[in-house]
Amino acid sequence: MSTPQDSAYERAIAHALRFLSSRPRSEQEVRRRLQRTYEASTVASVIERLRDLELLDDAAFARAWSRSRADHRPRSAAMIRRELQAKGVERDVAAASVESLDDRESAYRAGLRWLPSMGSADYDTFRRRMWGRLHRRGFAQALIRETVARLWEERGGEGERRP
């Protein structure tokens, strides 16, 4: 015969597995989700079980998140690190996961994605739009300046260009 605590544990495990099925999550994300519905002792048991099953691993989550961001939605390493910390990943784990990222390459790849949308914009419009997009993704000003100049030249930019 099962007790109400066992039943709550089983429901919480099922809840956590459903939550994890859409994408990898940090331990803190799962904890926060379960705490909405279940008691702290049940949540702690579920988190421990998921760790034992290797379904929760913040270091692996952080590496996967960093790779995904770098490949599909380029942004600065600092911004990715802040995103991870907001998801409950410890500072040192988040920092280690972004060590291999190259902001220069990420900024360039992000800019390349937007290049077609610039149409035949003059330099000032091009610079302003590209600058804003790169800035919102956390890149440093010096790197943005360099990337904008590189993209303008590669685009075959004509007309006035001020550094």
Side-chain angles (χ1 to χ4, degrees):
M1 181 172 182
S2 67
T3 65
Q5 290 81 13
D6 292 338
S7 178
Y9 174 79
E10 295 301 325
R11 286 192 317 270
I13 283 280
H15 187 153
L17 292 174
R18 279 191 310 275
F19 189 53
L20 288 167
S21 69
S22 60
R23 71 165 174 82
R25 310 274 181 174
S26 71
E27 182 178 314
Q28 188 62 33
E29 286 179 294
V30 174
R31 184 181 310 280
R32 286 178 189 150
R33 175 58 67 98
L34 294 177
Q35 285 175 337
R36 295 179 190 173
T37 310
Y38 303 99
E39 294 181 14
S41 61
T42 302
V43 172
S45 297
V46 168
I47 295 294
E48 186 175 329
R49 179 69 177 141
L50 293 173
R51 269 197 235 125
D52 291 345
L53 294 171
E54 296 181 1
L55 294 173
L56 280 182
D57 178 354
D58 277 357
F61 167 75
R63 286 189 303 274
W65 183 269
S66 297
R67 268 193 315 274
S68 175
R69 283 297 200 209
D71 292 345
H72 303 292
R73 299 197 59 186
R75 54 201 58 214
S76 71
M79 182 171 270
I80 294 171
R81 190 184 68 247
R82 285 190 302 271
E83 288 176 346
L84 287 166
Q85 288 177 274
K87 292 184 174 303
V89 175
E90 291 183 22
R91 180 182 298 252
D92 58 332
V93 174
S97 74
V98 298
E99 281 179 350
S100 65
L101 297 181
D102 180 3
D103 274 358
R104 178 170 277 108
E105 178 62 24
S106 293
Y108 177 70
R109 284 189 18 257
L112 278 178
R113 293 178 74 176
W114 301 314
L115 208 51
S117 70
M118 295 294 179
S120 60
D122 61 42
Y123 179 72
D124 287 334
T125 303
F126 177 87
R127 183 190 55 77
R128 186 182 70 251
R129 289 180 184 168
M130 191 64 73
W131 189 286
R133 288 175 170 177
L134 292 170
H135 181 71
R136 285 188 296 277
R137 279 146 188 89
F139 295 107
Q141 289 184 9
L143 181 56
I144 294 172
R145 187 176 304 111
E146 175 186 315
T147 303
V148 167
R150 179 179 176 188
L151 290 168
W152 178 255
E153 294 299 322
E154 288 180 10
R155 178 180 178 235
E158 298 175 10
E160 185 178 346
R161 179 179 159 246
R162 289 175 250 143

